[in-house]
Amino acid sequence: QVQLVESGGGLVQAGGSLRLSCAASGRIFSIGAMGWHRQAAGKQRELVASITRGGTTNYADSVKGRFTISRDNAKNTVYLQMNNLKPEDTAVYSCKVDYLPAVLAVRFLEVWGQGTLVTVSS
């Protein structure tokens, strides 16, 4: 059983900042890619940012230069620093983690967090 615990969402004014955290625990041998997705009301879920175990990052064009994804492999935790937030960033943010459940596992499994609401007021 693998669980993700997210924190850091909330209400912020436009131009403000928030930092999201997502910690993985449970039966994990190794973690691969980690990422943040978001889903705004009435819209499809989209990838916000992802990071490989080695630290290679990828961002949606809409957040480049404003958001920074990072991870602490020792803590099995991924972070999303969000600066200069805009009303259009309002959404439920969910983290996704790819992991190997055992030393002999050959295929990564994925687990999703429950989501945390970020609301940016204008």
Side-chain angles (χ1 to χ4, degrees):
Q1 192 86 8
V2 174
Q3 291 183 327
L4 301 182
V5 177
E6 300 163 341
S7 61
L11 173 64
V12 65
Q13 288 188 332
S17 299
L18 284 174
R19 189 190 193 211
L20 306 182
S21 299
C22 173
S25 63
R27 190 175 179 180
I28 299 171
F29 171 69
S30 177
I31 291 180
M34 307 177 86
W36 288 95
H37 295 69
R38 68 185 180 187
Q39 186 168 20
K43 295 187 177 180
Q44 288 189 330
R45 186 168 59 192
E46 63 174 350
L47 174 67
V48 177
S50 64
I51 184 168
T52 67
R53 185 171 183 83
T56 300
T57 58
N58 179 50
Y59 295 94
D61 288 342
S62 59
V63 307
K64 284 181 180 177
R66 300 188 298 122
F67 291 10
T68 302
I69 190 170
S70 61
R71 62 190 285 170
D72 185 334
N73 291 331
K75 296 181 179 180
N76 288 345
T77 299
V78 61
Y79 306 95
L80 186 67
Q81 178 66 44
M82 304 184 292
N83 297 329
N84 190 21
L85 282 159
K86 303 176 180 180
E88 51 264 42
D89 294 318
T90 294
V92 174
Y93 285 71
S94 302
C95 65
K96 184 178 80 75
V97 170
D98 296 338
Y99 69 99
L100 292 175
V103 63
L104 296 179
V106 296
R107 184 171 64 91
F108 279 92
L109 305 178
E110 65 178 40
V111 58
W112 288 82
Q114 79 282 1
T116 184
L117 178 62
V118 171
T119 303
V120 184
S121 63
S122 57

